Amino acid sequence: MHIIEVIFIAILCIGIVSLTAGVLLMLVYFGLKVISAKGSGKDLIEKVFSLGYYVMHVAMLIFLLGLAGLAVCMAIEGLRKGEYKLRFSRTGGGYTRISWAERPIRFAFQTIAHIGFSSWLIYFWVRQIQSFSKKKISRSRKQ
């Protein structure tokens, strides 16, 4: 495993941990909302909701960035070796080898799929950041 792959796996793990933290904050928010009486601690409840929302949003972006990076790493590794070695079974089945020499159309499709998937994830990531920053700017103007 190369250092770049390890970095992207670490990013994925950070994203998963952050998503879990965001979900826990949302659960705390819903618990406080149900338990609290009307009006008591409303600021605290809203702060917990905002924090949970932002943590989940940022965690999703981190996770998607890590996933896109791993897809690019897989495409680069496949191009470098001239073959893709994929495993489709979780029970320990064998590998499926797709090589340029034996199956060039499938190899090209696999390369395009990896690069296309990562490009789409990065595009989605950028759109989410733009949407997030527009919401933040419009909120700051209202206040």
Side-chain angles (χ1 to χ4, degrees):
M1 202 179 279
H2 298 303
I3 189 75
I4 301 275
E5 291 171 347
V6 171
I7 290 170
F8 284 119
I9 289 173
I11 290 172
L12 277 175
C13 291
I14 290 169
I16 290 170
V17 168
S18 301
L19 279 171
T20 305
V23 168
L24 289 175
L25 284 169
M26 287 303 213
L27 289 174
V28 167
Y29 161 73
F30 289 122
L32 289 173
K33 192 80 167 166
V34 168
I35 292 172
S36 73
K38 294 182 180 181
S40 69
K42 188 172 180 171
D43 278 347
L44 175 66
I45 293 172
E46 295 304 318
K47 286 179 183 177
V48 168
F49 176 76
S50 295
L51 182 63
Y53 173 78
Y54 292 126
V55 166
M56 286 181 65
H57 198 79
V58 169
M60 180 193 67
L61 295 176
I62 291 170
F63 180 79
L64 290 178
L65 183 63
L67 199 59
L70 281 176
V72 167
C73 285
M74 288 173 65
I76 291 170
E77 187 71 21
L79 288 171
R80 188 177 64 79
K81 286 184 175 180
E83 74 174 3
Y84 289 102
K85 194 162 101 173
L86 307 170
R87 180 182 289 192
F88 295 106
S89 172
R90 284 190 257 162
T91 59
Y95 288 99
T96 300
R97 292 182 190 267
I98 302 170
S99 69
W100 177 254
E102 295 173 8
R103 297 162 68 182
I105 294 173
R106 176 71 181 172
F107 183 84
F109 171 76
Q110 198 68 41
T111 303
I112 291 170
H114 284 301
I115 293 172
F117 179 67
S118 62
S119 300
W120 180 81
L121 281 175
I122 291 170
Y123 171 77
F124 181 75
W125 189 74
V126 168
R127 296 287 298 198
Q128 287 297 313
I129 288 177
Q130 288 173 347
S131 170
F132 188 67
S133 60
K134 284 180 186 176
K135 286 180 187 177
K136 194 148 182 124
I137 289 171
S138 67
R139 279 190 196 155
S140 65
R141 288 183 184 169
K142 286 181 183 179
Q143 293 175 356

